[in-house]
Amino acid sequence: MLKRSSVVAAASVLLSALLFSTIANADQRRDPPKPPIDKLSAALNVNPDQMENCLEEGRPASPGEKPNKSALLSCLQQANSNITGNQLDDVMQQYMPKPDRPAE
């Protein structure tokens, strides 16, 4: 028969391992980097509030999905009708933070 102290020790080790695992995983679930609104809006010649609103409109419906570029472009073109899809792609490529790269 197992001694009570052995059971308590085993439970303590298991609990410590679970706690460590939870803390380690929390570090991996950081919020995504914030886009540099000032740089994006300046590059596209829209004001920062418009840029922020349009980014919200283009936000993916759920995590892991791609942003809705069509909604983003349409919104931005209401603020600046000269913005093209290629221009938007270039600006986003230049300034949007990547998961493995911090914002500029």
Side-chain angles (χ1 to χ4, degrees):
M1 213 173 188
L2 289 174
K3 293 183 179 179
R4 180 181 167 111
S5 61
S6 297
V7 172
V8 170
S12 177
V13 169
L14 179 60
L15 186 58
S16 295
L18 287 172
L19 180 60
F20 177 77
S21 174
T22 301
I23 291 170
N25 286 335
D27 285 343
Q28 296 173 358
R29 293 182 298 222
R30 293 186 182 124
D31 290 334
K34 303 243 184 271
I37 300 295
D38 290 339
K39 290 179 181 181
L40 293 168
S41 60
L44 294 169
N45 198 27
V46 298
N47 75 47
D49 288 337
Q50 291 167 322
M51 187 73 224
E52 204 160 359
N53 289 337
C54 292
L55 283 172
E56 188 63 35
E57 283 196 30
R59 183 179 306 276
S62 59
E65 290 184 8
K66 291 184 176 185
N68 184 338
K69 180 184 169 189
S70 177
L72 175 60
L73 180 59
S74 176
C75 180
L76 289 168
Q77 286 174 332
Q78 291 176 23
N80 177 354
S81 61
N82 294 321
I83 297 173
T84 65
N86 288 337
Q87 181 185 13
L88 177 59
D89 289 342
D90 291 345
V91 168
M92 297 305 263
Q93 180 69 32
Q94 181 177 359
Y95 291 115
M96 286 300 286
K98 305 287 186 246
D100 60 337
R101 179 183 96 184
E104 293 180 1

mmCIF file of all heavy atoms in Angstrom, residues 5-51:
data_model
loop_
_atom_site.group_PDB
_atom_site.id
_atom_site.type_symbol
_atom_site.label_atom_id
_atom_site.label_comp_id
_atom_site.label_asym_id
_atom_site.label_seq_id
_atom_site.Cartn_x
_atom_site.Cartn_y
_atom_site.Cartn_z
ATOM 1 N N SER A 5 2.459 9.934 2.540
ATOM 2 C CA SER A 5 3.503 10.899 2.193
ATOM 3 C C SER A 5 3.971 10.705 0.746
ATOM 4 O O SER A 5 4.295 11.669 0.059
ATOM 5 C CB SER A 5 4.683 10.800 3.154
ATOM 6 O OG SER A 5 5.268 9.512 3.095
ATOM 7 N N SER A 6 3.970 9.467 0.255
ATOM 8 C CA SER A 6 4.350 9.208 -1.138
ATOM 9 C C SER A 6 3.312 9.770 -2.096
ATOM 10 O O SER A 6 3.645 10.339 -3.137
ATOM 11 C CB SER A 6 4.513 7.710 -1.381
ATOM 12 O OG SER A 6 5.552 7.188 -0.604
ATOM 13 N N VAL A 7 2.042 9.623 -1.754
ATOM 14 C CA VAL A 7 0.957 10.141 -2.583
ATOM 15 C C VAL A 7 1.007 11.666 -2.609
ATOM 16 O O VAL A 7 0.884 12.296 -3.663
ATOM 17 C CB VAL A 7 -0.410 9.632 -2.088
ATOM 18 C CG1 VAL A 7 -1.545 10.317 -2.813
ATOM 19 C CG2 VAL A 7 -0.499 8.119 -2.243
ATOM 20 N N VAL A 8 1.218 12.271 -1.458
ATOM 21 C CA VAL A 8 1.304 13.734 -1.377
ATOM 22 C C VAL A 8 2.499 14.225 -2.171
ATOM 23 O O VAL A 8 2.404 15.216 -2.908
ATOM 24 C CB VAL A 8 1.376 14.197 0.107
ATOM 25 C CG1 VAL A 8 1.707 15.672 0.199
ATOM 26 C CG2 VAL A 8 0.070 13.892 0.814
ATOM 27 N N ALA A 9 3.629 13.566 -2.073
ATOM 28 C CA ALA A 9 4.821 13.966 -2.811
ATOM 29 C C ALA A 9 4.590 13.841 -4.311
ATOM 30 O O ALA A 9 4.960 14.732 -5.090
ATOM 31 C CB ALA A 9 6.025 13.127 -2.383
ATOM 32 N N ALA A 10 3.970 12.766 -4.745
ATOM 33 C CA ALA A 10 3.693 12.566 -6.174
ATOM 34 C C ALA A 10 2.716 13.626 -6.673
ATOM 35 O O ALA A 10 2.890 14.190 -7.766
ATOM 36 C CB ALA A 10 3.137 11.168 -6.418
ATOM 37 N N ALA A 11 1.711 13.934 -5.888
ATOM 38 C CA ALA A 11 0.741 14.962 -6.271
ATOM 39 C C ALA A 11 1.413 16.323 -6.346
ATOM 40 O O ALA A 11 1.130 17.131 -7.241
ATOM 41 C CB ALA A 11 -0.417 14.980 -5.285
ATOM 42 N N SER A 12 2.319 16.585 -5.439
ATOM 43 C CA SER A 12 3.041 17.849 -5.426
ATOM 44 C C SER A 12 3.914 17.994 -6.674
ATOM 45 O O SER A 12 3.964 19.060 -7.294
ATOM 46 C CB SER A 12 3.898 17.935 -4.159
ATOM 47 O OG SER A 12 4.657 19.108 -4.167
ATOM 48 N N VAL A 13 4.589 16.928 -7.056
ATOM 49 C CA VAL A 13 5.425 16.948 -8.260
ATOM 50 C C VAL A 13 4.556 17.169 -9.502
ATOM 51 O O VAL A 13 4.881 17.983 -10.370
ATOM 52 C CB VAL A 13 6.244 15.643 -8.386
ATOM 53 C CG1 VAL A 13 6.900 15.533 -9.753
ATOM 54 C CG2 VAL A 13 7.290 15.568 -7.288
ATOM 55 N N LEU A 14 3.428 16.471 -9.576
ATOM 56 C CA LEU A 14 2.520 16.610 -10.707
ATOM 57 C C LEU A 14 1.970 18.029 -10.786
ATOM 58 O O LEU A 14 1.936 18.639 -11.851
ATOM 59 C CB LEU A 14 1.374 15.604 -10.597
ATOM 60 C CG LEU A 14 0.336 15.646 -11.715
ATOM 61 C CD1 LEU A 14 0.972 15.374 -13.070
ATOM 62 C CD2 LEU A 14 -0.779 14.656 -11.441
ATOM 63 N N LEU A 15 1.565 18.573 -9.660
ATOM 64 C CA LEU A 15 1.037 19.928 -9.624
ATOM 65 C C LEU A 15 2.098 20.947 -10.043
ATOM 66 O O LEU A 15 1.821 21.876 -10.803
ATOM 67 C CB LEU A 15 0.507 20.250 -8.222
ATOM 68 C CG LEU A 15 -0.211 21.573 -8.048
ATOM 69 C CD1 LEU A 15 -1.401 21.673 -8.999
ATOM 70 C CD2 LEU A 15 -0.682 21.735 -6.620
ATOM 71 N N SER A 16 3.322 20.765 -9.590
ATOM 72 C CA SER A 16 4.418 21.658 -9.980
ATOM 73 C C SER A 16 4.672 21.596 -11.486
ATOM 74 O O SER A 16 4.892 22.618 -12.128
ATOM 75 C CB SER A 16 5.699 21.287 -9.229
ATOM 76 O OG SER A 16 5.530 21.503 -7.852
ATOM 77 N N ALA A 17 4.638 20.410 -12.047
ATOM 78 C CA ALA A 17 4.852 20.244 -13.487
ATOM 79 C C ALA A 17 3.745 20.930 -14.281
ATOM 80 O O ALA A 17 4.002 21.598 -15.282
ATOM 81 C CB ALA A 17 4.937 18.766 -13.850
ATOM 82 N N LEU A 18 2.498 20.777 -13.832
ATOM 83 C CA LEU A 18 1.376 21.433 -14.509
ATOM 84 C C LEU A 18 1.490 22.950 -14.423
ATOM 85 O O LEU A 18 1.242 23.660 -15.396
ATOM 86 C CB LEU A 18 0.046 20.970 -13.924
ATOM 87 C CG LEU A 18 -0.382 19.558 -14.278
ATOM 88 C CD1 LEU A 18 -1.609 19.157 -13.467
ATOM 89 C CD2 LEU A 18 -0.649 19.424 -15.754
ATOM 90 N N LEU A 19 1.870 23.456 -13.271
ATOM 91 C CA LEU A 19 2.022 24.889 -13.086
ATOM 92 C C LEU A 19 3.131 25.430 -13.987
ATOM 93 O O LEU A 19 2.959 26.444 -14.661
ATOM 94 C CB LEU A 19 2.314 25.211 -11.618
ATOM 95 C CG LEU A 19 2.497 26.680 -11.267
ATOM 96 C CD1 LEU A 19 1.237 27.461 -11.618
ATOM 97 C CD2 LEU A 19 2.820 26.846 -9.797
ATOM 98 N N PHE A 20 4.259 24.749 -14.029
ATOM 99 C CA PHE A 20 5.361 25.173 -14.890
ATOM 100 C C PHE A 20 4.941 25.167 -16.352
ATOM 101 O O PHE A 20 5.226 26.094 -17.104
ATOM 102 C CB PHE A 20 6.581 24.265 -14.693
ATOM 103 C CG PHE A 20 7.709 24.606 -15.604
ATOM 104 C CD1 PHE A 20 8.514 25.703 -15.343
ATOM 105 C CD2 PHE A 20 7.968 23.852 -16.740
ATOM 106 C CE1 PHE A 20 9.560 26.039 -16.193
ATOM 107 C CE2 PHE A 20 9.004 24.178 -17.600
ATOM 108 C CZ PHE A 20 9.807 25.275 -17.320
ATOM 109 N N SER A 21 4.228 24.138 -16.769
ATOM 110 C CA SER A 21 3.759 24.031 -18.152
ATOM 111 C C SER A 21 2.811 25.179 -18.490
ATOM 112 O O SER A 21 2.885 25.757 -19.567
ATOM 113 C CB SER A 21 3.060 22.691 -18.364
ATOM 114 O OG SER A 21 2.479 22.629 -19.635
ATOM 115 N N THR A 22 1.924 25.513 -17.574
ATOM 116 C CA THR A 22 0.973 26.608 -17.798
ATOM 117 C C THR A 22 1.712 27.937 -17.943
ATOM 118 O O THR A 22 1.410 28.731 -18.829
ATOM 119 C CB THR A 22 -0.040 26.685 -16.634
ATOM 120 O OG1 THR A 22 -0.724 25.442 -16.557
ATOM 121 C CG2 THR A 22 -1.020 27.816 -16.831
ATOM 122 N N ILE A 23 2.691 28.184 -17.089
ATOM 123 C CA ILE A 23 3.458 29.422 -17.156
ATOM 124 C C ILE A 23 4.255 29.472 -18.454
ATOM 125 O O ILE A 23 4.297 30.502 -19.126
ATOM 126 C CB ILE A 23 4.388 29.551 -15.930
ATOM 127 C CG1 ILE A 23 3.543 29.784 -14.680
ATOM 128 C CG2 ILE A 23 5.392 30.681 -16.125
ATOM 129 C CD1 ILE A 23 4.317 29.691 -13.380
ATOM 130 N N ALA A 24 4.867 28.387 -18.847
ATOM 131 C CA ALA A 24 5.644 28.355 -20.091
ATOM 132 C C ALA A 24 4.754 28.613 -21.297
ATOM 133 O O ALA A 24 5.119 29.344 -22.210
ATOM 134 C CB ALA A 24 6.364 27.008 -20.228
ATOM 135 N N ASN A 25 3.557 28.037 -21.321
ATOM 136 C CA ASN A 25 2.640 28.242 -22.436
ATOM 137 C C ASN A 25 2.079 29.650 -22.460
ATOM 138 O O ASN A 25 1.781 30.185 -23.525
ATOM 139 C CB ASN A 25 1.497 27.226 -22.388
ATOM 140 C CG ASN A 25 1.945 25.843 -22.806
ATOM 141 O OD1 ASN A 25 2.909 25.692 -23.536
ATOM 142 N ND2 ASN A 25 1.255 24.835 -22.317
ATOM 143 N N ALA A 26 1.936 30.283 -21.317
ATOM 144 C CA ALA A 26 1.421 31.657 -21.269
ATOM 145 C C ALA A 26 2.369 32.597 -21.996
ATOM 146 O O ALA A 26 1.941 33.548 -22.641
ATOM 147 C CB ALA A 26 1.228 32.097 -19.824
ATOM 148 N N ASP A 27 3.678 32.339 -21.905
ATOM 149 C CA ASP A 27 4.648 33.177 -22.615
ATOM 150 C C ASP A 27 4.484 33.070 -24.117
ATOM 151 O O ASP A 27 4.778 34.004 -24.852
ATOM 152 C CB ASP A 27 6.079 32.774 -22.232
ATOM 153 C CG ASP A 27 6.449 33.271 -20.849
ATOM 154 O OD1 ASP A 27 5.753 34.167 -20.326
ATOM 155 O OD2 ASP A 27 7.434 32.754 -20.285
ATOM 156 N N GLN A 28 4.014 31.943 -24.618
ATOM 157 C CA GLN A 28 3.860 31.740 -26.056
ATOM 158 C C GLN A 28 2.575 32.346 -26.589
ATOM 159 O O GLN A 28 2.414 32.498 -27.776
ATOM 160 C CB GLN A 28 3.881 30.246 -26.374
ATOM 161 C CG GLN A 28 5.209 29.609 -26.050
ATOM 162 C CD GLN A 28 5.163 28.103 -26.208
ATOM 163 O OE1 GLN A 28 4.130 27.524 -26.523
ATOM 164 N NE2 GLN A 28 6.289 27.462 -25.985
ATOM 165 N N ARG A 29 1.616 32.697 -25.723
ATOM 166 C CA ARG A 29 0.324 33.218 -26.157
ATOM 167 C C ARG A 29 0.243 34.723 -25.972
ATOM 168 O O ARG A 29 -0.749 35.256 -25.515
ATOM 169 C CB ARG A 29 -0.796 32.558 -25.375
ATOM 170 C CG ARG A 29 -0.963 31.101 -25.660
ATOM 171 C CD ARG A 29 -2.119 30.572 -24.876
ATOM 172 N NE ARG A 29 -1.823 30.736 -23.454
ATOM 173 C CZ ARG A 29 -2.076 29.845 -22.536
ATOM 174 N NH1 ARG A 29 -2.648 28.735 -22.842
ATOM 175 N NH2 ARG A 29 -1.768 30.062 -21.283
ATOM 176 N N ARG A 30 1.272 35.424 -26.341
ATOM 177 C CA ARG A 30 1.259 36.871 -26.218
ATOM 178 C C ARG A 30 0.324 37.472 -27.252
ATOM 179 O O ARG A 30 0.065 36.891 -28.293
ATOM 180 C CB ARG A 30 2.661 37.422 -26.430
ATOM 181 C CG ARG A 30 3.606 37.014 -25.341
ATOM 182 C CD ARG A 30 4.938 37.692 -25.506
ATOM 183 N NE ARG A 30 5.825 37.237 -24.470
ATOM 184 C CZ ARG A 30 6.991 36.681 -24.692
ATOM 185 N NH1 ARG A 30 7.438 36.537 -25.906
ATOM 186 N NH2 ARG A 30 7.738 36.279 -23.701
ATOM 187 N N ASP A 31 -0.147 38.651 -26.941
ATOM 188 C CA ASP A 31 -0.958 39.374 -27.911
ATOM 189 C C ASP A 31 -0.110 39.683 -29.130
ATOM 190 O O ASP A 31 1.087 39.943 -29.020
ATOM 191 C CB ASP A 31 -1.473 40.683 -27.302
ATOM 192 C CG ASP A 31 -2.523 40.452 -26.239
ATOM 193 O OD1 ASP A 31 -3.201 39.414 -26.301
ATOM 194 O OD2 ASP A 31 -2.660 41.315 -25.359
ATOM 195 N N PRO A 32 -0.745 39.688 -30.306
ATOM 196 C CA PRO A 32 0.031 40.018 -31.502
ATOM 197 C C PRO A 32 0.528 41.454 -31.420
ATOM 198 O O PRO A 32 -0.080 42.301 -30.768
ATOM 199 C CB PRO A 32 -0.977 39.850 -32.643
ATOM 200 C CG PRO A 32 -2.314 39.857 -32.010
ATOM 201 C CD PRO A 32 -2.133 39.436 -30.585
ATOM 202 N N PRO A 33 1.645 41.742 -32.093
ATOM 203 C CA PRO A 33 2.168 43.110 -32.071
ATOM 204 C C PRO A 33 1.168 44.085 -32.670
ATOM 205 O O PRO A 33 0.413 43.746 -33.578
ATOM 206 C CB PRO A 33 3.425 43.044 -32.935
ATOM 207 C CG PRO A 33 3.610 41.640 -33.337
ATOM 208 C CD PRO A 33 2.425 40.842 -32.909
ATOM 209 N N LYS A 34 1.153 45.284 -32.157
ATOM 210 C CA LYS A 34 0.243 46.316 -32.651
ATOM 211 C C LYS A 34 0.809 46.937 -33.935
ATOM 212 O O LYS A 34 2.001 47.153 -34.051
ATOM 213 C CB LYS A 34 0.068 47.404 -31.602
ATOM 214 C CG LYS A 34 -0.444 46.886 -30.276
ATOM 215 C CD LYS A 34 -1.778 47.467 -29.957
ATOM 216 C CE LYS A 34 -2.270 47.059 -28.598
ATOM 217 N NZ LYS A 34 -3.007 45.863 -28.557
ATOM 218 N N PRO A 35 -0.063 47.213 -34.909
ATOM 219 C CA PRO A 35 0.418 47.834 -36.133
ATOM 220 C C PRO A 35 0.842 49.288 -35.881
ATOM 221 O O PRO A 35 0.252 49.962 -35.032
ATOM 222 C CB PRO A 35 -0.787 47.775 -37.074
ATOM 223 C CG PRO A 35 -1.969 47.563 -36.215
ATOM 224 C CD PRO A 35 -1.487 46.913 -34.950
ATOM 225 N N PRO A 36 1.843 49.763 -36.591
ATOM 226 C CA PRO A 36 2.296 51.152 -36.443
ATOM 227 C C PRO A 36 1.347 52.099 -37.188
ATOM 228 O O PRO A 36 1.591 52.486 -38.331
ATOM 229 C CB PRO A 36 3.694 51.133 -37.060
ATOM 230 C CG PRO A 36 3.635 50.051 -38.083
ATOM 231 C CD PRO A 36 2.681 49.017 -37.526
ATOM 232 N N ILE A 37 0.268 52.477 -36.538
ATOM 233 C CA ILE A 37 -0.795 53.265 -37.163
ATOM 234 C C ILE A 37 -0.258 54.539 -37.808
ATOM 235 O O ILE A 37 -0.644 54.875 -38.928
ATOM 236 C CB ILE A 37 -1.896 53.611 -36.121
ATOM 237 C CG1 ILE A 37 -2.516 52.348 -35.543
ATOM 238 C CG2 ILE A 37 -2.938 54.541 -36.712
ATOM 239 C CD1 ILE A 37 -3.287 51.508 -36.525
ATOM 240 N N ASP A 38 0.625 55.252 -37.125
ATOM 241 C CA ASP A 38 1.143 56.516 -37.672
ATOM 242 C C ASP A 38 1.891 56.310 -38.988
ATOM 243 O O ASP A 38 1.706 57.076 -39.938
ATOM 244 C CB ASP A 38 2.051 57.214 -36.655
ATOM 245 C CG ASP A 38 1.281 57.754 -35.457
ATOM 246 O OD1 ASP A 38 0.057 57.953 -35.589
ATOM 247 O OD2 ASP A 38 1.902 57.968 -34.405
ATOM 248 N N LYS A 39 2.713 55.274 -39.048
ATOM 249 C CA LYS A 39 3.478 55.006 -40.274
ATOM 250 C C LYS A 39 2.564 54.548 -41.407
ATOM 251 O O LYS A 39 2.719 54.972 -42.552
ATOM 252 C CB LYS A 39 4.564 53.973 -40.017
ATOM 253 C CG LYS A 39 5.681 54.492 -39.142
ATOM 254 C CD LYS A 39 6.714 53.428 -38.886
ATOM 255 C CE LYS A 39 7.823 53.962 -37.994
ATOM 256 N NZ LYS A 39 8.859 52.978 -37.742
ATOM 257 N N LEU A 40 1.627 53.665 -41.080
ATOM 258 C CA LEU A 40 0.697 53.180 -42.099
ATOM 259 C C LEU A 40 -0.148 54.315 -42.650
ATOM 260 O O LEU A 40 -0.305 54.454 -43.870
ATOM 261 C CB LEU A 40 -0.217 52.096 -41.526
ATOM 262 C CG LEU A 40 0.436 50.773 -41.131
ATOM 263 C CD1 LEU A 40 -0.530 49.926 -40.307
ATOM 264 C CD2 LEU A 40 0.896 50.026 -42.362
ATOM 265 N N SER A 41 -0.691 55.133 -41.768
ATOM 266 C CA SER A 41 -1.568 56.224 -42.220
ATOM 267 C C SER A 41 -0.791 57.254 -43.025
ATOM 268 O O SER A 41 -1.294 57.757 -44.040
ATOM 269 C CB SER A 41 -2.294 56.874 -41.033
ATOM 270 O OG SER A 41 -1.382 57.413 -40.111
ATOM 271 N N ALA A 42 0.433 57.555 -42.628
ATOM 272 C CA ALA A 42 1.248 58.512 -43.390
ATOM 273 C C ALA A 42 1.566 57.970 -44.779
ATOM 274 O O ALA A 42 1.487 58.698 -45.779
ATOM 275 C CB ALA A 42 2.537 58.834 -42.630
ATOM 276 N N ALA A 43 1.899 56.697 -44.861
ATOM 277 C CA ALA A 43 2.260 56.095 -46.149
ATOM 278 C C ALA A 43 1.070 56.039 -47.105
ATOM 279 O O ALA A 43 1.245 56.097 -48.325
ATOM 280 C CB ALA A 43 2.828 54.697 -45.933
ATOM 281 N N LEU A 44 -0.142 55.940 -46.550
ATOM 282 C CA LEU A 44 -1.343 55.841 -47.389
ATOM 283 C C LEU A 44 -2.108 57.168 -47.480
ATOM 284 O O LEU A 44 -3.161 57.236 -48.116
ATOM 285 C CB LEU A 44 -2.269 54.740 -46.854
ATOM 286 C CG LEU A 44 -1.691 53.331 -46.959
ATOM 287 C CD1 LEU A 44 -2.543 52.342 -46.183
ATOM 288 C CD2 LEU A 44 -1.557 52.915 -48.412
ATOM 289 N N ASN A 45 -1.580 58.198 -46.829
ATOM 290 C CA ASN A 45 -2.174 59.525 -46.869
ATOM 291 C C ASN A 45 -3.614 59.533 -46.357
ATOM 292 O O ASN A 45 -4.523 60.063 -47.001
ATOM 293 C CB ASN A 45 -2.076 60.135 -48.270
ATOM 294 C CG ASN A 45 -2.271 61.636 -48.256
ATOM 295 O OD1 ASN A 45 -1.999 62.286 -47.251
ATOM 296 N ND2 ASN A 45 -2.766 62.173 -49.354
ATOM 297 N N VAL A 46 -3.804 58.909 -45.196
ATOM 298 C CA VAL A 46 -5.086 58.956 -44.484
ATOM 299 C C VAL A 46 -4.762 59.340 -43.042
ATOM 300 O O VAL A 46 -3.621 59.204 -42.605
ATOM 301 C CB VAL A 46 -5.852 57.610 -44.535
ATOM 302 C CG1 VAL A 46 -6.211 57.236 -45.957
ATOM 303 C CG2 VAL A 46 -5.072 56.488 -43.878
ATOM 304 N N ASN A 47 -5.756 59.803 -42.303
ATOM 305 C CA ASN A 47 -5.445 60.168 -40.919
ATOM 306 C C ASN A 47 -5.423 58.904 -40.045
ATOM 307 O O ASN A 47 -6.007 57.879 -40.408
ATOM 308 C CB ASN A 47 -6.369 61.279 -40.393
ATOM 309 C CG ASN A 47 -7.760 60.818 -40.066
ATOM 310 O OD1 ASN A 47 -7.959 59.799 -39.406
ATOM 311 N ND2 ASN A 47 -8.748 61.572 -40.513
ATOM 312 N N PRO A 48 -4.728 58.959 -38.915
ATOM 313 C CA PRO A 48 -4.576 57.777 -38.063
ATOM 314 C C PRO A 48 -5.905 57.164 -37.608
ATOM 315 O O PRO A 48 -6.014 55.942 -37.521
ATOM 316 C CB PRO A 48 -3.759 58.289 -36.874
ATOM 317 C CG PRO A 48 -2.975 59.428 -37.437
ATOM 318 C CD PRO A 48 -3.886 60.080 -38.445
ATOM 319 N N ASP A 49 -6.908 58.004 -37.329
ATOM 320 C CA ASP A 49 -8.209 57.457 -36.922
ATOM 321 C C ASP A 49 -8.845 56.639 -38.041
ATOM 322 O O ASP A 49 -9.413 55.569 -37.800
ATOM 323 C CB ASP A 49 -9.164 58.574 -36.499
ATOM 324 C CG ASP A 49 -8.781 59.197 -35.169
ATOM 325 O OD1 ASP A 49 -8.080 58.532 -34.381
ATOM 326 O OD2 ASP A 49 -9.183 60.352 -34.934
ATOM 327 N N GLN A 50 -8.728 57.138 -39.271
ATOM 328 C CA GLN A 50 -9.272 56.402 -40.413
ATOM 329 C C GLN A 50 -8.530 55.071 -40.577
ATOM 330 O O GLN A 50 -9.146 54.038 -40.833
ATOM 331 C CB GLN A 50 -9.150 57.231 -41.698
ATOM 332 C CG GLN A 50 -10.056 58.438 -41.730
ATOM 333 C CD GLN A 50 -9.685 59.407 -42.845
ATOM 334 O OE1 GLN A 50 -8.511 59.628 -43.153
ATOM 335 N NE2 GLN A 50 -10.699 60.002 -43.457
ATOM 336 N N MET A 51 -7.216 55.114 -40.433
ATOM 337 C CA MET A 51 -6.413 53.895 -40.572
ATOM 338 C C MET A 51 -6.831 52.866 -39.534
ATOM 339 O O MET A 51 -7.030 51.694 -39.845
ATOM 340 C CB MET A 51 -4.927 54.249 -40.420
ATOM 341 C CG MET A 51 -3.988 53.109 -40.712
ATOM 342 S SD MET A 51 -3.918 52.789 -42.473
ATOM 343 C CE MET A 51 -4.003 51.021 -42.492
#
